[in-house]
Amino acid sequence: MKEIKPSSFRYDLNGLRAIAVLSVIIFHYSHLYLSGGFIGVDIFFVISGYLMTLILSSKKNLQFYDFYDFYLSRAKRIVPALLTICTVIIAIGFFLIDPANYQILGKHIVASLFFISNIVYYSESGYFDQSSLDKYFLHTWSLSVEWQFYIIYPFLILLVSNIKKYKLVVLIILTFTSFISSIILTKVNSDLSYYMFFTRAWEMLIGGITYYFFEIKNKKRIKIKNSVFYEIIALVFIIISLFKINSASGWPNIYCIIPVISTSIILFIKNEKTILNNFILQYLGGISYSLYLVHWPVIVLFKKMNITLEPYSYLFITLISGVLLHNLVERKRNFSFKWLLYYTFIIIVSLIICYNGLSLRTSGNDKYKISLSEFRNKYEGNLGIWSNDPIYFNSDAKNFEYILIGSSHARHYYSYLEKSDLKVVSLALDGCNSTKNYYTESGGEICKDRYKFAIDFINKNPNKTIIWATLWDWMGGPRNKDIIYKNNDDLLINEVSSFINDINGRYKRIYLIGDVPGTKSLTFECLARNTLPLNRILNLSNCNEFQKYKENHDDQLLNSISTGFKNTFFIKSSNALCDNKKCRVIYNGEPIYTDYGHLSRTGANIVGNYIESKIAK
């Protein structure tokens, strides 16, 4: 089976690759620079579908035995460079990555090499979540989606090649079905829609359909007038998408059509004098796969080491790493039996790492040899106590004095409440902000009813003091589309005010507790890395006890709200950990937080004591 001939080289296609990879690289560094940079993956999908169809259609009488050549050519294209970057991260990780994260790394490498990482990452969390920044091979989800498409697509092409009259009809129906499923599923489960093959297949199928129409155009010798104009218009729409689209409403959504169709238009018209044919774009397009492979591990590795990577440094390191990977590995395409053996070897090594993260590398406190999830279960301030029903501390249903409401950012004070003399009943639930018109879907169906439950409970137990602690900067989505606020400030002000109005003065006092400042890096992981010999000698982890203070805008709003209601007060919890320059994240060698925002028992004791002292006044 033939690969693309040099004479048919597409400068426009290569330029699109460059735009796609640059978009992703910039977005992953900071979405503030390019809010829609993630659509670079969608551009890649269209290009991939186009090229797959070209390769498969180059065989006049496609048969099952031709599939071997197709799969082998794809393996030569993808696997060696991927294996190399896996090897590099495994080697670096042996010296610098703590056992818990090394264990996860092994799991993710196995998933990447078996091309099921999209399924694994979906099971763990969302692509745009904070925790995604800790996964060295998160970006391989797109390779897994493509490879899953590779497995099925040759059979589909063989099928439609036998029904030539209807092949475009079949492909268009499948494309439409996949597209509709992605739009519907994005509204129901955006993470599933983002990661899964069947909701992304339509983008690659669009590429395939584009190729067939391109072939029809060539056979009929149709020349498109003003091709430069159409190419420029399509590029303008892609650029607009890069700056205007964002992930807030889930992806892929209806706007995904814009970059996908724009890409297919450029591929279809094939402007011979493409404006994308310049040295920089052509070179970057040629090494785009290697750049894509290296850019994300660079971000994660420096983040894990608590090293601030400036934009120019990031681009320079990514470019040099990509050039080396491309020239030393990718361009050789020498996937032979020795590579198969090496592939097997790396999988075996990764499976061994999966077992316990090679904890024998560490010494010192066994607390830091466990996984992050185990650490949270054992040391988080919530004490592992979770119940839909009210939870009583130092009291029962008859003699409590305080009612605690909110989300997990209220629950993480449980360890302090258990030690204190405060008579508290907690109605707090993870993900439930106790707000009237908005609720967090991540909290499950129970969050829909939690507001009414809290209001009814307070009204049945009047003259109690209410303590409300939650993640104020995320209220979730509206219960219905009739109540949508123009900005987050209005949302917070109206939702808090609605709650206070609905309890109609049937309270003694209300305390609005500002959220804790959180941490920019996982201090548990940093302390865990210090158990590694190389880190202990060179102090590479750089576990600072403090981080820079940043004023929380929500604190100002809550303080303003409290002045507008009787017996309502605001307590700025960050004062327990911060002065006007810095905030504590480690105390006496113990992490203040178990993740990025939840207090450990050490942190809960410090902040809880401060809150109680303010209430006592």
Side-chain angles (χ1 to χ4, degrees):
M1 189 171 293
K2 300 182 294 183
E3 285 281 4
I4 306 170
K5 295 179 180 179
S7 59
S8 62
F9 187 80
R10 295 282 301 263
Y11 292 100
D12 53 348
L13 184 152
N14 207 41
L16 282 170
R17 279 179 174 149
I19 292 173
V21 76
L22 282 173
S23 302
V24 174
I25 287 172
I26 294 170
F27 172 78
H28 281 159
Y29 179 78
S30 174
H31 67 274
L32 298 177
Y33 292 146
L34 208 61
S35 64
F38 55 87
I39 71 168
V41 172
D42 303 279
I43 295 173
F44 276 129
F45 283 159
V46 179
I47 294 172
S48 184
Y50 181 92
L51 292 176
M52 275 190 277
T53 311
L54 186 159
I55 294 167
L56 291 168
S57 299
S58 65
K59 189 73 175 177
K60 292 183 178 179
N61 296 306
L62 186 67
Q63 300 296 329
F64 283 114
Y65 55 76
D66 293 314
F67 293 179
Y68 172 79
D69 290 337
F70 174 76
Y71 293 133
L72 182 60
S73 69
R74 294 300 87 199
K76 287 181 177 180
R77 173 77 173 87
I78 291 173
V79 175
L82 178 59
L83 265 178
T84 302
I85 198 66
C86 289
T87 303
V88 170
I89 298 300
I90 285 174
I92 293 173
F94 182 85
F95 297 102
L96 298 179
I97 301 178
D98 61 277
N101 277 287
Y102 206 45
Q103 185 177 17
I104 295 170
L105 174 66
K107 170 187 171 184
H108 289 170
I109 287 177
V110 170
S112 297
L113 293 177
F114 279 122
F115 297 103
I116 56 169
S117 60
N118 59 325
I119 299 171
V120 170
Y121 289 129
Y122 163 68
S123 69
E124 293 178 348
S125 68
Y127 182 80
F128 301 103
D129 291 349
Q130 179 70 38
S131 61
S132 68
L133 299 175
D134 300 321
K135 300 170 183 175
Y136 290 89
F137 288 92
L138 177 69
H139 60 320
T140 64
W141 75 270
S142 62
L143 301 182
S144 296
V145 168
E146 283 196 19
W147 193 259
Q148 289 158 22
F149 192 73
Y150 292 159
I151 293 172
I152 296 174
Y153 196 55
F155 295 94
L156 177 61
I157 294 299
L158 180 61
L159 172 65
V160 298
S161 65
N162 293 324
I163 49 171
K164 295 180 180 179
K165 187 177 179 181
Y166 301 104
K167 68 180 180 181
L168 276 175
V169 175
V170 171
L171 290 177
I172 289 170
I173 290 173
L174 289 173
T175 301
F176 183 75
T177 303
S178 174
F179 172 69
I180 293 300
S181 68
S182 72
I183 299 303
I184 293 173
L185 195 56
T186 295
K187 295 180 180 179
V188 178
N189 188 330
S190 59
D191 291 338
L192 184 65
S193 182
Y194 190 90
Y195 279 117
M196 289 302 107
F197 149 76
F198 61 89
T199 54
R200 291 298 194 149
W202 69 273
E203 300 176 59
M204 288 172 276
L205 286 169
I206 286 283
I209 293 170
T210 301
Y211 172 76
Y212 282 124
F213 277 111
F214 175 77
E215 282 293 284
I216 292 171
K217 181 191 73 169
N218 280 357
K219 286 179 181 178
K220 294 185 177 182
R221 298 183 179 180
I222 299 172
K223 291 187 177 181
I224 299 175
K225 296 180 180 179
N226 302 318
S227 59
V228 175
F229 172 77
Y230 292 122
E231 181 184 56
I232 290 173
I233 292 299
L235 284 171
V236 167
F237 275 107
I238 289 175
I239 292 169
I240 290 173
S241 299
L242 289 171
F243 285 95
K244 293 297 182 180
I245 286 175
N246 59 62
S247 61
S249 56
W251 193 262
N253 57 33
I254 192 68
Y255 296 109
C256 191
I257 292 175
I258 299 173
V260 167
I261 296 301
S262 297
T263 302
S264 69
I265 288 172
I266 294 171
L267 295 175
F268 171 73
I269 61 178
K270 191 186 179 182
N271 177 24
E272 298 293 346
K273 297 181 180 179
T274 175
I275 62 173
L276 297 173
N277 186 9
N278 61 71
F279 173 76
I280 294 176
L281 288 182
Q282 291 304 307
Y283 186 75
L284 293 177
I287 64 171
S288 57
Y289 177 56
S290 291
L291 288 174
Y292 184 78
L293 281 180
V294 302
H295 85 281
W296 185 250
V298 166
I299 291 174
V300 177
L301 185 63
F302 277 84
K303 177 180 177 293
K304 291 286 190 181
M305 294 299 108
N306 292 329
I307 299 173
T308 300
L309 200 56
E310 298 299 330
Y312 295 115
S313 301
Y314 162 63
L315 292 175
F316 178 77
I317 293 170
T318 298
L319 179 61
I320 295 300
S321 302
V323 169
L324 289 173
L325 182 62
H326 175 76
N327 287 301
L328 297 178
V329 181
E330 182 195 353
R331 68 184 299 182
K332 295 183 178 181
R333 307 283 176 87
N334 58 343
F335 191 82
S336 58
F337 184 70
K338 65 180 181 180
W339 278 99
L340 181 61
L341 291 176
Y342 187 61
Y343 175 85
T344 305
F345 171 73
I346 290 298
I347 287 178
I348 292 171
V349 170
S350 300
L351 287 171
I352 293 171
I353 294 171
C354 281
Y355 176 66
N356 65 357
L358 297 183
S359 60
L360 54 85
R361 299 172 297 140
T362 66
S363 60
N365 197 334
D366 288 340
K367 179 191 296 185
Y368 299 113
K369 294 183 180 181
I370 60 178
S371 68
L372 178 62
S373 60
E374 290 173 315
F375 178 78
R376 290 192 65 183
N377 290 336
K378 194 170 183 180
Y379 296 103
E380 193 160 307
N382 61 32
L383 297 174
I385 299 173
W386 192 97
S387 174
N388 293 342
D389 299 320
I391 300 170
Y392 295 91
F393 294 91
N394 308 311
S395 62
D396 53 37
K398 295 181 180 180
N399 66 349
F400 61 89
E401 298 174 358
Y402 299 90
I403 301 174
L404 176 66
I405 64 171
S407 63
S408 58
H409 287 240
R411 289 181 62 242
H412 63 193
Y413 292 112
Y414 281 3
S415 60
Y416 177 77
L417 293 176
E418 187 179 60
K419 295 178 180 179
S420 75
D421 296 324
L422 296 174
K423 297 179 178 181
V424 179
V425 56
S426 173
L427 310 182
L429 277 182
D430 288 2
C432 299
N433 287 331
S434 301
T435 44
K436 184 175 185 177
N437 300 303
Y438 275 61
Y439 77 100
T440 50
E441 295 178 359
S442 61
E445 287 296 313
I446 194 170
C447 283
K448 286 184 178 180
D449 303 320
R450 202 61 182 178
Y451 181 79
K452 184 178 183 303
F453 179 85
I455 295 296
D456 290 345
F457 187 91
I458 292 168
N459 287 332
K460 290 177 182 176
N461 297 276
N463 300 318
K464 304 295 183 182
T465 295
I466 299 165
I467 302 173
W468 191 359
T470 195
L471 184 63
W472 297 106
D473 63 358
W474 176 240
M475 295 292 179
R479 294 177 188 274
N480 61 71
K481 294 183 179 180
D482 295 331
I483 302 177
I484 298 179
Y485 303 108
K486 62 182 181 180
N487 55 50
N488 287 332
D489 286 8
D490 278 358
L491 191 159
L492 181 60
I493 292 168
N494 281 283
E495 289 301 294
V496 175
S497 299
S498 293
F499 171 83
I500 298 174
N501 287 327
D502 283 351
I503 56 178
N504 197 26
R506 296 173 67 83
Y507 58 88
K508 187 176 181 180
R509 288 187 299 274
I510 296 177
Y511 291 98
L512 304 176
I513 310 299
D515 200 13
V516 289
T519 177
K520 295 176 182 177
S521 60
L522 294 173
T523 47
F524 161 76
E525 291 183 355
C526 187
L527 292 168
R529 284 195 297 272
N530 281 342
T531 65
L532 298 173
L534 189 62
N535 277 336
R536 292 204 315 276
I537 296 170
L538 301 179
N539 193 29
L540 295 174
S541 287
N542 189 28
C543 301
N544 294 321
E545 291 188 36
F546 298 92
Q547 67 182 23
K548 188 176 180 180
Y549 172 75
K550 183 179 179 181
E551 182 66 39
N552 188 338
H553 177 64
D554 293 332
D555 283 352
Q556 299 172 19
L557 289 177
L558 291 169
N559 187 46
S560 177
I561 294 168
S562 69
T563 62
F565 292 92
K566 182 181 179 182
N567 293 330
T568 301
F569 308 93
F570 168 69
I571 297 178
K572 189 174 182 178
S573 65
S574 61
N575 285 344
L577 300 168
C578 310
D579 55 28
N580 58 6
K581 292 184 179 180
K582 61 185 185 299
C583 294
R584 181 175 290 279
V585 292
I586 297 174
Y587 179 74
N588 287 341
E590 298 290 334
I592 295 292
Y593 304 94
T594 56
D595 58 1
Y596 292 100
H598 292 99
L599 292 169
S600 66
R601 298 181 187 184
T602 298
N605 186 59
I606 295 170
V607 182
N609 187 63
Y610 174 80
I611 292 172
E612 184 178 4
S613 70
K614 299 299 289 185
I615 290 175
K617 291 182 180 180

